Amino acid sequence: GAVVSQHPSRVICKSGTSVKIECRSLDFQATTMFWYRQFPKQSLMLMATSNEGSKATYEQGVEKDKFLINHASLTLSTLTVTSAHPEDSSFYICSVQLRGYGYTFGSGTRLTVV
Amino acid sequence: GESVGLHLPTLSVQEGDNSIINCAYSNSASDYFIWYKQESGKGPQFIIDIRSNMDKRQGQRVTVLLNKTVKHLSLQIAATQPGDSAVYFCAESYSGGYQKVTFGTGTKLQVIP
């Protein structure tokens, strides 16, 4: 199956700064990637759908100006959390769908904003 | 929006016994269902999936059952092992194209040695 690499695995940043998270599809060209957020002891909530070469599609309630998504190539999507605040501390996970073969998830990024 | 839900947050099972994790979904239009296993601090790991034209699918030690009439999904794990301890999520989607996945609330499986 596809291998999805997510980086960094953990990041601590100061309140007000921006953090970039990378999601790479290592052996599959992904025109679409998905970004999820997961708070402790909760389920994964879809934030946005990242489309290669076009604008991302955001779920209701997700601020597109705060969570910037760039999908400039078929193997890389990035999520930038801008002006991060402690309430943005969460586990961020990306995924790739293989047509007809289900979905593969990255290993996640633990963001802590202090 | 419609959602997939679980009502058993924690399930404790003796090692060697069979585990059954249940899930209720509400979107009757969903036609593709997946079970994921998530260990602490890691991303979800695919376990097994099933399409709506089936009511049962078996994998290695795992079986997924789908009852479309009552919108119910279950995951059965045979001979549960300590390594099965994790949080299990059911998820739903539409087959074909690139469609988003909606996750249920999750069940934590604790295997007692």
Side-chain angles (χ1 to χ4, degrees):
Chain A
V3 178
V4 177
S5 174
Q6 197 170 333
H7 179 81
S9 57
R10 289 178 179 270
V11 59
I12 300 172
C13 71
K14 292 185 177 180
S15 185
T17 62
S18 295
V19 174
K20 180 184 285 188
I21 302 169
E22 293 186 348
C23 180
R24 293 183 183 272
S25 175
L26 299 183
D27 55 357
F28 175 73
Q29 292 186 327
T31 56
T32 303
M33 293 185 180
F34 302 91
W35 286 96
Y36 290 83
R37 178 169 53 183
Q38 185 179 32
F39 291 107
K41 300 187 186 302
Q42 294 189 24
S43 187
L44 284 77
M45 297 300 295
L46 179 67
M47 299 176 66
T49 302
S50 173
N51 304 299
E52 189 267 336
S54 64
K55 293 182 178 180
T57 303
Y58 290 83
E59 294 299 300
Q60 190 174 7
V62 178
E63 299 176 60
K64 62 180 181 180
D65 294 331
K66 182 170 184 61
F67 299 100
L68 300 179
I69 291 173
N70 184 282
H71 194 155
S73 76
L74 290 172
T75 59
L76 174 65
S77 176
T78 61
L79 169 68
T80 301
V81 182
T82 63
S83 187
H85 291 284
E87 56 265 30
D88 297 324
S89 298
S90 188
F91 193 52
Y92 293 86
I93 311 169
C94 67
S95 79
V96 169
Q97 183 192 6
L98 309 178
R99 188 184 290 273
Y101 294 94
Y103 303 77
T104 299
F105 286 80
S107 54
T109 297
R110 174 73 60 194
L111 170 63
T112 303
V113 184
V114 298
Chain B
E2 299 194 80
S3 64
V4 178
L6 287 171
H7 303 288
L8 294 173
T10 303
L11 176 66
S12 296
V13 176
Q14 202 74 37
E15 180 179 357
D17 288 350
N18 297 333
S19 303
I20 299 176
I21 301 172
N22 296 301
C23 174
Y25 66 94
S26 57
N27 188 348
S28 57
S30 294
D31 61 0
Y32 180 56
F33 305 89
I34 317 125
W35 279 101
Y36 288 97
K37 172 185 180 182
Q38 186 180 29
E39 298 175 323
S40 182
K42 298 183 179 179
Q45 177 186 355
F46 173 89
I47 300 174
I48 192 168
D49 61 0
I50 188 168
R51 299 193 184 278
S52 59
N53 60 351
M54 303 173 67
D55 53 19
K56 179 179 181 179
R57 190 161 188 232
Q58 290 184 294
Q60 187 176 9
R61 283 201 307 118
V62 295
T63 301
V64 55
L65 299 178
L66 174 63
N67 185 329
K68 296 181 289 293
T69 302
V70 294
K71 298 190 184 70
H72 185 268
L73 197 66
S74 69
L75 176 69
Q76 300 178 1
I77 304 174
T80 311
Q81 303 169 359
D84 295 328
S85 293
V87 177
Y88 290 81
F89 293 97
C90 66
E92 62 175 332
S93 184
Y94 303 104
S95 61
Y98 294 103
Q99 303 292 343
K100 60 184 179 183
V101 174
T102 301
F103 280 79
T105 54
T107 295
K108 182 177 182 180
L109 177 64
Q110 293 180 326
V111 181
I112 304 167

